[in-house]
Amino acid sequence: MAKSSNIEMITGDPKKAIVKLALPMMLSMLLIMLYNIADSIWVAGLGADALAAVGFITPLFMVLVGLGNGIGAGANSLIARYIGAGNRDQANNAGLHGILLAIIVSVIFTIIIEVFMVPILQMMGAGSTIQYAMDYSYIIFGFLFVFVYSGVASAIFRSEGDMRRATIAIAVTAIMNIILDPIFIYVLNFGISGAAWATVFSAILSCLVMSYWIWGKKDLYLDLTLKNFKYSTKMIIDNLQVAIPSTLESLVFSILAIIINSMLVMAADTTAVAVYTASMRIVQLAMIPLIGLGTAVLTVAGVAYGARNYQNLKTSHSYAIKLGFAISIALG
């Protein structure tokens, strides 16, 4: 069965496993970047202020999505370690704790963001774009759970080496967003709110697909039914030990983007933010291979660590570093 071959793959040759895991991840991230570019193109048709508004919201949104991805990375690491150790029950429990954390974090930050959105935007220097930014942000952050859960669910598939379905889920989001953007923005005349609704509906569809695979089809290695949930504070802490550093990385980049946006507003106006937002969509393409490798090595190294196979652990890290360095040189 497919699930057996996935487990065999991540517990086998670490070099082959990293390549097999990284390539689909790179493809899915490429699709996400392409839909971000398409999103910018459609929003730009509404004017520079609309595109700048998205530019103001994006860093904050990426911090919170990064938190979801961080929780997913924590779940990925824990599940992979338990799979490597042959402890399926604990692997199931780790996956369920990841989903629990996604719920808790989403509720807390949705309330905070929805209440303090206006002063946050004012502090960021949104200026004349603030109404656009509010129209966009209230919708996006109102459905924050969808994006956080998506990051965790994708990580659950990756943790057992099922990159095919993890990639399909992301592809569904990207393709549907590209299709829905012009419909919601222009055909239905929702404007910038349409861009937000297109993103939300695309993510919801992806989440429904992943939820069906997890709880409907039930053909994963993991069994994430509630009967397998046993609350563990240690498991929460273990997840956060991976999630927090991962989130801090997103936070650093987002703070940098906020600072740059503020400087652009002071030096020019919100049009400069719009130009910067559009150009950064292209620059981010170069990061795809390295992020794909990093995601792949998280699973492979986790399995090796859980199995106490320190040779595979060492090989996975060294191979990923060498391959990442080679790709960086090739990209210039």
Side-chain angles (χ1 to χ4, degrees):
M1 293 177 65
K3 62 181 181 183
S4 298
S5 63
N6 288 332
I7 299 300
E8 289 172 4
M9 183 260 292
I10 61 176
T11 55
D13 184 345
K15 294 181 180 180
K16 291 181 180 178
I18 286 173
V19 172
K20 287 183 178 179
L21 289 174
L23 289 177
M25 187 65 191
M26 292 177 193
L27 174 61
S28 60
M29 290 188 66
L30 177 62
L31 288 171
I32 290 293
M33 288 298 177
L34 290 176
Y35 105 64
N36 281 335
I37 292 171
D39 197 53
S40 295
I41 292 171
W42 289 117
V43 171
L46 298 172
D49 278 355
L51 184 56
V54 174
F56 282 114
I57 295 300
T58 297
L60 185 58
F61 179 64
M62 292 311 297
V63 170
L64 298 177
V65 170
L67 181 57
N69 290 336
I71 294 170
N76 187 338
S77 177
L78 277 177
I79 294 168
R81 277 183 266 166
Y82 287 127
I83 289 175
N87 193 334
R88 190 171 183 175
D89 289 340
Q90 285 293 79
N92 293 334
N93 204 22
L96 288 165
H97 274 75
I99 294 171
L100 173 64
L101 268 176
I103 295 171
I104 294 171
V105 166
S106 299
V107 171
I108 292 172
F109 280 97
T110 295
I111 294 171
I112 292 173
I113 294 298
E114 293 291 325
V115 171
F116 296 104
M117 192 71 255
V118 174
I120 289 173
L121 288 171
Q122 290 172 338
M123 183 178 66
M124 292 170 65
S128 62
T129 71
I130 195 165
Q131 188 57 55
Y132 279 120
M134 287 169 59
D135 291 343
Y136 186 82
S137 64
Y138 280 131
I139 297 168
I140 288 290
F141 292 120
F143 288 87
L144 182 61
F145 171 72
V146 173
F147 301 101
V148 176
Y149 169 74
S150 178
V152 175
S154 294
I156 288 171
F157 289 110
R158 291 195 300 270
S159 69
E160 60 175 67
D162 192 347
M163 289 304 298
R164 182 181 66 85
R165 283 192 278 200
T167 302
I168 289 173
I170 294 175
V172 167
T173 302
I175 294 170
M176 287 305 300
N177 202 304
I178 291 172
I179 294 171
L180 292 177
D181 255 341
I183 295 174
F184 279 82
I185 295 173
Y186 298 107
V187 177
L188 298 179
N189 200 30
F190 286 174
I192 195 168
S193 297
W197 282 118
T199 301
V200 167
F201 282 133
S202 300
I204 288 174
L205 180 59
S206 176
C207 288
L208 290 175
V209 170
M210 288 189 286
S211 296
Y212 167 71
W213 285 330
I214 294 172
W215 290 291
K217 200 171 183 181
K218 294 183 179 179
D219 64 344
L220 277 70
Y221 174 80
L222 299 176
D223 179 7
L224 300 183
T225 51
L226 282 177
K227 67 180 182 181
N228 292 318
F229 179 77
K230 296 180 179 63
Y231 178 76
S232 168
T233 301
K234 181 181 182 303
M235 200 165 279
I236 294 287
I237 293 172
D238 286 345
N239 185 306
L240 292 176
Q241 285 177 339
V242 176
I244 291 174
S246 178
T247 304
L248 287 176
E249 182 180 347
S250 298
L251 180 62
V252 169
F253 283 111
S254 295
I255 289 174
L256 179 61
I258 290 170
I259 293 172
I260 291 174
N261 284 345
S262 300
M263 292 173 65
L264 288 171
V265 170
M266 288 187 288
D269 56 22
T270 54
T271 303
V273 177
V275 174
Y276 174 73
T277 299
S279 62
M280 282 305 295
R281 304 290 198 197
I282 307 297
V283 173
Q284 289 167 351
L285 287 171
M287 296 297 294
I288 288 176
L290 301 180
I291 296 173
L293 279 175
T295 303
V297 78
L298 182 66
T299 297
V300 178
V303 168
Y305 180 81
R308 298 297 185 264
N309 188 335
Y310 298 115
Q311 182 56 48
N312 275 8
L313 179 62
K314 181 180 178 181
T315 299
S316 63
H317 278 103
S318 60
Y319 180 71
I321 290 171
K322 291 174 184 176
L323 188 56
F325 183 74
I327 291 172
S328 299
I329 295 296
L331 291 174

PDB file of all heavy atoms in Angstrom, residues 38-47 50 180-192 194-195:
ATOM      1  N   ALA A  38      -0.018  36.136  -9.221  1.00  0.00           N
ATOM      2  CA  ALA A  38      -1.301  36.365  -9.892  1.00  0.00           C
ATOM      3  C   ALA A  38      -2.210  37.235  -9.031  1.00  0.00           C
ATOM      4  O   ALA A  38      -2.901  38.135  -9.534  1.00  0.00           O
ATOM      5  CB  ALA A  38      -1.976  35.025 -10.193  1.00  0.00           C
ATOM      6  N   ASP A  39      -2.181  36.981  -7.725  1.00  0.00           N
ATOM      7  CA  ASP A  39      -2.980  37.767  -6.780  1.00  0.00           C
ATOM      8  C   ASP A  39      -2.589  39.242  -6.856  1.00  0.00           C
ATOM      9  O   ASP A  39      -3.444  40.129  -6.891  1.00  0.00           O
ATOM     10  CB  ASP A  39      -2.745  37.221  -5.368  1.00  0.00           C
ATOM     11  CG  ASP A  39      -3.819  37.675  -4.383  1.00  0.00           C
ATOM     12  OD1 ASP A  39      -5.007  37.476  -4.684  1.00  0.00           O
ATOM     13  OD2 ASP A  39      -3.466  38.224  -3.333  1.00  0.00           O
ATOM     14  N   SER A  40      -1.281  39.490  -6.898  1.00  0.00           N
ATOM     15  CA  SER A  40      -0.788  40.870  -6.975  1.00  0.00           C
ATOM     16  C   SER A  40      -1.225  41.536  -8.276  1.00  0.00           C
ATOM     17  O   SER A  40      -1.585  42.719  -8.288  1.00  0.00           O
ATOM     18  CB  SER A  40       0.741  40.889  -6.881  1.00  0.00           C
ATOM     19  OG  SER A  40       1.173  40.430  -5.622  1.00  0.00           O
ATOM     20  N   ILE A  41      -1.195  40.775  -9.354  1.00  0.00           N
ATOM     21  CA  ILE A  41      -1.587  41.329 -10.655  1.00  0.00           C
ATOM     22  C   ILE A  41      -3.056  41.744 -10.645  1.00  0.00           C
ATOM     23  O   ILE A  41      -3.415  42.846 -11.080  1.00  0.00           O
ATOM     24  CB  ILE A  41      -1.321  40.304 -11.776  1.00  0.00           C
ATOM     25  CG1 ILE A  41       0.193  40.098 -11.948  1.00  0.00           C
ATOM     26  CG2 ILE A  41      -1.952  40.765 -13.091  1.00  0.00           C
ATOM     27  CD1 ILE A  41       0.553  38.961 -12.877  1.00  0.00           C
ATOM     28  N   TRP A  42      -3.914  40.861 -10.113  1.00  0.00           N
ATOM     29  CA  TRP A  42      -5.343  41.176 -10.089  1.00  0.00           C
ATOM     30  C   TRP A  42      -5.647  42.333  -9.141  1.00  0.00           C
ATOM     31  O   TRP A  42      -6.445  43.220  -9.465  1.00  0.00           O
ATOM     32  CB  TRP A  42      -6.151  39.944  -9.675  1.00  0.00           C
ATOM     33  CG  TRP A  42      -6.191  38.856 -10.706  1.00  0.00           C
ATOM     34  CD1 TRP A  42      -5.698  37.592 -10.594  1.00  0.00           C
ATOM     35  CD2 TRP A  42      -6.752  38.941 -12.022  1.00  0.00           C
ATOM     36  NE1 TRP A  42      -5.907  36.876 -11.748  1.00  0.00           N
ATOM     37  CE2 TRP A  42      -6.561  37.682 -12.644  1.00  0.00           C
ATOM     38  CE3 TRP A  42      -7.402  39.946 -12.736  1.00  0.00           C
ATOM     39  CZ2 TRP A  42      -6.990  37.411 -13.937  1.00  0.00           C
ATOM     40  CZ3 TRP A  42      -7.834  39.679 -14.033  1.00  0.00           C
ATOM     41  CH2 TRP A  42      -7.627  38.425 -14.619  1.00  0.00           C
ATOM     42  N   VAL A  43      -5.005  42.342  -7.981  1.00  0.00           N
ATOM     43  CA  VAL A  43      -5.236  43.427  -7.014  1.00  0.00           C
ATOM     44  C   VAL A  43      -4.701  44.747  -7.558  1.00  0.00           C
ATOM     45  O   VAL A  43      -5.296  45.805  -7.332  1.00  0.00           O
ATOM     46  CB  VAL A  43      -4.579  43.097  -5.652  1.00  0.00           C
ATOM     47  CG1 VAL A  43      -4.634  44.306  -4.715  1.00  0.00           C
ATOM     48  CG2 VAL A  43      -5.281  41.911  -5.001  1.00  0.00           C
ATOM     49  N   ALA A  44      -3.588  44.682  -8.285  1.00  0.00           N
ATOM     50  CA  ALA A  44      -3.002  45.903  -8.850  1.00  0.00           C
ATOM     51  C   ALA A  44      -3.979  46.609  -9.781  1.00  0.00           C
ATOM     52  O   ALA A  44      -3.921  47.840  -9.944  1.00  0.00           O
ATOM     53  CB  ALA A  44      -1.716  45.568  -9.595  1.00  0.00           C
ATOM     54  N   GLY A  45      -4.886  45.844 -10.370  1.00  0.00           N
ATOM     55  CA  GLY A  45      -5.891  46.447 -11.245  1.00  0.00           C
ATOM     56  C   GLY A  45      -6.835  47.373 -10.507  1.00  0.00           C
ATOM     57  O   GLY A  45      -7.523  48.196 -11.123  1.00  0.00           O
ATOM     58  N   LEU A  46      -6.870  47.254  -9.181  1.00  0.00           N
ATOM     59  CA  LEU A  46      -7.720  48.123  -8.363  1.00  0.00           C
ATOM     60  C   LEU A  46      -7.017  49.433  -8.016  1.00  0.00           C
ATOM     61  O   LEU A  46      -7.626  50.330  -7.435  1.00  0.00           O
ATOM     62  CB  LEU A  46      -8.115  47.406  -7.064  1.00  0.00           C
ATOM     63  CG  LEU A  46      -8.946  46.128  -7.214  1.00  0.00           C
ATOM     64  CD1 LEU A  46      -9.083  45.423  -5.865  1.00  0.00           C
ATOM     65  CD2 LEU A  46     -10.327  46.452  -7.785  1.00  0.00           C
ATOM     66  N   GLY A  47      -5.724  49.509  -8.330  1.00  0.00           N
ATOM     67  CA  GLY A  47      -4.965  50.717  -8.030  1.00  0.00           C
ATOM     68  C   GLY A  47      -3.809  50.451  -7.088  1.00  0.00           C
ATOM     69  O   GLY A  47      -3.740  49.404  -6.433  1.00  0.00           O
ATOM     70  N   ALA A  50      -4.612  49.754  -3.304  1.00  0.00           N
ATOM     71  CA  ALA A  50      -5.090  48.404  -2.997  1.00  0.00           C
ATOM     72  C   ALA A  50      -3.920  47.437  -2.879  1.00  0.00           C
ATOM     73  O   ALA A  50      -3.857  46.623  -1.948  1.00  0.00           O
ATOM     74  CB  ALA A  50      -6.062  47.930  -4.080  1.00  0.00           C
ATOM     75  N   LEU A 180     -10.426  32.004  -8.747  1.00  0.00           N
ATOM     76  CA  LEU A 180     -11.441  32.790  -8.038  1.00  0.00           C
ATOM     77  C   LEU A 180     -11.116  34.278  -7.949  1.00  0.00           C
ATOM     78  O   LEU A 180     -12.036  35.103  -7.841  1.00  0.00           O
ATOM     79  CB  LEU A 180     -11.640  32.227  -6.625  1.00  0.00           C
ATOM     80  CG  LEU A 180     -12.274  30.841  -6.522  1.00  0.00           C
ATOM     81  CD1 LEU A 180     -12.347  30.396  -5.067  1.00  0.00           C
ATOM     82  CD2 LEU A 180     -13.669  30.835  -7.142  1.00  0.00           C
ATOM     83  N   ASP A 181      -9.837  34.630  -7.974  1.00  0.00           N
ATOM     84  CA  ASP A 181      -9.450  36.040  -7.826  1.00  0.00           C
ATOM     85  C   ASP A 181     -10.196  36.972  -8.780  1.00  0.00           C
ATOM     86  O   ASP A 181     -10.874  37.911  -8.333  1.00  0.00           O
ATOM     87  CB  ASP A 181      -7.933  36.195  -8.009  1.00  0.00           C
ATOM     88  CG  ASP A 181      -7.220  36.411  -6.679  1.00  0.00           C
ATOM     89  OD1 ASP A 181      -7.886  36.791  -5.698  1.00  0.00           O
ATOM     90  OD2 ASP A 181      -5.999  36.203  -6.615  1.00  0.00           O
ATOM     91  N   PRO A 182     -10.086  36.767 -10.096  1.00  0.00           N
ATOM     92  CA  PRO A 182     -10.781  37.706 -11.000  1.00  0.00           C
ATOM     93  C   PRO A 182     -12.302  37.656 -10.868  1.00  0.00           C
ATOM     94  O   PRO A 182     -12.979  38.670 -11.069  1.00  0.00           O
ATOM     95  CB  PRO A 182     -10.332  37.238 -12.395  1.00  0.00           C
ATOM     96  CG  PRO A 182      -9.909  35.819 -12.214  1.00  0.00           C
ATOM     97  CD  PRO A 182      -9.342  35.737 -10.838  1.00  0.00           C
ATOM     98  N   ILE A 183     -12.818  36.480 -10.508  1.00  0.00           N
ATOM     99  CA  ILE A 183     -14.278  36.352 -10.363  1.00  0.00           C
ATOM    100  C   ILE A 183     -14.768  37.189  -9.186  1.00  0.00           C
ATOM    101  O   ILE A 183     -15.711  37.984  -9.308  1.00  0.00           O
ATOM    102  CB  ILE A 183     -14.670  34.870 -10.172  1.00  0.00           C
ATOM    103  CG1 ILE A 183     -14.328  34.068 -11.435  1.00  0.00           C
ATOM    104  CG2 ILE A 183     -16.163  34.750  -9.846  1.00  0.00           C
ATOM    105  CD1 ILE A 183     -14.538  32.572 -11.286  1.00  0.00           C
ATOM    106  N   PHE A 184     -14.116  37.020  -8.030  1.00  0.00           N
ATOM    107  CA  PHE A 184     -14.554  37.742  -6.829  1.00  0.00           C
ATOM    108  C   PHE A 184     -14.225  39.232  -6.902  1.00  0.00           C
ATOM    109  O   PHE A 184     -15.008  40.068  -6.438  1.00  0.00           O
ATOM    110  CB  PHE A 184     -13.902  37.133  -5.581  1.00  0.00           C
ATOM    111  CG  PHE A 184     -14.595  35.899  -5.070  1.00  0.00           C
ATOM    112  CD1 PHE A 184     -14.348  34.665  -5.637  1.00  0.00           C
ATOM    113  CD2 PHE A 184     -15.505  35.970  -4.034  1.00  0.00           C
ATOM    114  CE1 PHE A 184     -14.984  33.526  -5.177  1.00  0.00           C
ATOM    115  CE2 PHE A 184     -16.153  34.837  -3.559  1.00  0.00           C
ATOM    116  CZ  PHE A 184     -15.892  33.608  -4.141  1.00  0.00           C
ATOM    117  N   ILE A 185     -13.059  39.558  -7.477  1.00  0.00           N
ATOM    118  CA  ILE A 185     -12.633  40.964  -7.497  1.00  0.00           C
ATOM    119  C   ILE A 185     -13.418  41.771  -8.520  1.00  0.00           C
ATOM    120  O   ILE A 185     -13.916  42.868  -8.217  1.00  0.00           O
ATOM    121  CB  ILE A 185     -11.122  41.071  -7.797  1.00  0.00           C
ATOM    122  CG1 ILE A 185     -10.307  40.452  -6.660  1.00  0.00           C
ATOM    123  CG2 ILE A 185     -10.711  42.539  -7.978  1.00  0.00           C
ATOM    124  CD1 ILE A 185      -8.812  40.355  -6.957  1.00  0.00           C
ATOM    125  N   TYR A 186     -13.571  41.223  -9.734  1.00  0.00           N
ATOM    126  CA  TYR A 186     -14.128  42.011 -10.834  1.00  0.00           C
ATOM    127  C   TYR A 186     -15.532  41.576 -11.263  1.00  0.00           C
ATOM    128  O   TYR A 186     -16.417  42.417 -11.424  1.00  0.00           O
ATOM    129  CB  TYR A 186     -13.176  41.970 -12.035  1.00  0.00           C
ATOM    130  CG  TYR A 186     -11.827  42.576 -11.724  1.00  0.00           C
ATOM    131  CD1 TYR A 186     -10.704  41.772 -11.568  1.00  0.00           C
ATOM    132  CD2 TYR A 186     -11.682  43.951 -11.560  1.00  0.00           C
ATOM    133  CE1 TYR A 186      -9.459  42.319 -11.267  1.00  0.00           C
ATOM    134  CE2 TYR A 186     -10.448  44.514 -11.254  1.00  0.00           C
ATOM    135  CZ  TYR A 186      -9.342  43.693 -11.106  1.00  0.00           C
ATOM    136  OH  TYR A 186      -8.122  44.238 -10.796  1.00  0.00           O
ATOM    137  N   VAL A 187     -15.735  40.279 -11.447  1.00  0.00           N
ATOM    138  CA  VAL A 187     -17.049  39.822 -11.914  1.00  0.00           C
ATOM    139  C   VAL A 187     -18.120  40.096 -10.856  1.00  0.00           C
ATOM    140  O   VAL A 187     -19.186  40.640 -11.154  1.00  0.00           O
ATOM    141  CB  VAL A 187     -17.013  38.317 -12.264  1.00  0.00           C
ATOM    142  CG1 VAL A 187     -18.416  37.840 -12.670  1.00  0.00           C
ATOM    143  CG2 VAL A 187     -16.022  38.051 -13.390  1.00  0.00           C
ATOM    144  N   LEU A 188     -17.825  39.721  -9.605  1.00  0.00           N
ATOM    145  CA  LEU A 188     -18.770  39.971  -8.516  1.00  0.00           C
ATOM    146  C   LEU A 188     -18.604  41.369  -7.918  1.00  0.00           C
ATOM    147  O   LEU A 188     -19.373  41.768  -7.043  1.00  0.00           O
ATOM    148  CB  LEU A 188     -18.597  38.913  -7.420  1.00  0.00           C
ATOM    149  CG  LEU A 188     -18.878  37.468  -7.842  1.00  0.00           C
ATOM    150  CD1 LEU A 188     -18.642  36.504  -6.682  1.00  0.00           C
ATOM    151  CD2 LEU A 188     -20.313  37.326  -8.356  1.00  0.00           C
ATOM    152  N   ASN A 189     -17.558  42.062  -8.376  1.00  0.00           N
ATOM    153  CA  ASN A 189     -17.314  43.449  -7.973  1.00  0.00           C
ATOM    154  C   ASN A 189     -17.116  43.608  -6.461  1.00  0.00           C
ATOM    155  O   ASN A 189     -17.563  44.584  -5.859  1.00  0.00           O
ATOM    156  CB  ASN A 189     -18.459  44.356  -8.445  1.00  0.00           C
ATOM    157  CG  ASN A 189     -18.053  45.820  -8.505  1.00  0.00           C
ATOM    158  OD1 ASN A 189     -16.886  46.139  -8.745  1.00  0.00           O
ATOM    159  ND2 ASN A 189     -19.007  46.712  -8.274  1.00  0.00           N
ATOM    160  N   PHE A 190     -16.408  42.650  -5.850  1.00  0.00           N
ATOM    161  CA  PHE A 190     -16.123  42.732  -4.417  1.00  0.00           C
ATOM    162  C   PHE A 190     -14.871  43.555  -4.122  1.00  0.00           C
ATOM    163  O   PHE A 190     -14.576  43.830  -2.962  1.00  0.00           O
ATOM    164  CB  PHE A 190     -15.936  41.329  -3.827  1.00  0.00           C
ATOM    165  CG  PHE A 190     -17.211  40.553  -3.671  1.00  0.00           C
ATOM    166  CD1 PHE A 190     -17.175  39.230  -3.263  1.00  0.00           C
ATOM    167  CD2 PHE A 190     -18.448  41.128  -3.920  1.00  0.00           C
ATOM    168  CE1 PHE A 190     -18.343  38.491  -3.102  1.00  0.00           C
ATOM    169  CE2 PHE A 190     -19.622  40.405  -3.768  1.00  0.00           C
ATOM    170  CZ  PHE A 190     -19.574  39.084  -3.363  1.00  0.00           C
ATOM    171  N   GLY A 191     -14.122  43.895  -5.164  1.00  0.00           N
ATOM    172  CA  GLY A 191     -12.910  44.682  -4.958  1.00  0.00           C
ATOM    173  C   GLY A 191     -11.862  43.925  -4.164  1.00  0.00           C
ATOM    174  O   GLY A 191     -11.706  42.713  -4.303  1.00  0.00           O
ATOM    175  N   ILE A 192     -11.168  44.645  -3.290  1.00  0.00           N
ATOM    176  CA  ILE A 192     -10.093  44.013  -2.525  1.00  0.00           C
ATOM    177  C   ILE A 192     -10.638  42.959  -1.557  1.00  0.00           C
ATOM    178  O   ILE A 192      -9.952  41.981  -1.238  1.00  0.00           O
ATOM    179  CB  ILE A 192      -9.258  45.071  -1.768  1.00  0.00           C
ATOM    180  CG1 ILE A 192      -7.938  44.446  -1.292  1.00  0.00           C
ATOM    181  CG2 ILE A 192     -10.049  45.659  -0.604  1.00  0.00           C
ATOM    182  CD1 ILE A 192      -6.932  45.447  -0.798  1.00  0.00           C
ATOM    183  N   GLY A 194     -12.805  40.908  -2.364  1.00  0.00           N
ATOM    184  CA  GLY A 194     -12.894  39.721  -3.213  1.00  0.00           C
ATOM    185  C   GLY A 194     -11.606  38.929  -3.221  1.00  0.00           C
ATOM    186  O   GLY A 194     -11.622  37.691  -3.245  1.00  0.00           O
ATOM    187  N   ALA A 195     -10.475  39.648  -3.193  1.00  0.00           N
ATOM    188  CA  ALA A 195      -9.177  38.959  -3.140  1.00  0.00           C
ATOM    189  C   ALA A 195      -9.059  38.160  -1.847  1.00  0.00           C
ATOM    190  O   ALA A 195      -8.554  37.033  -1.835  1.00  0.00           O
ATOM    191  CB  ALA A 195      -8.044  39.975  -3.243  1.00  0.00           C
TER     192      ALA A 195
END
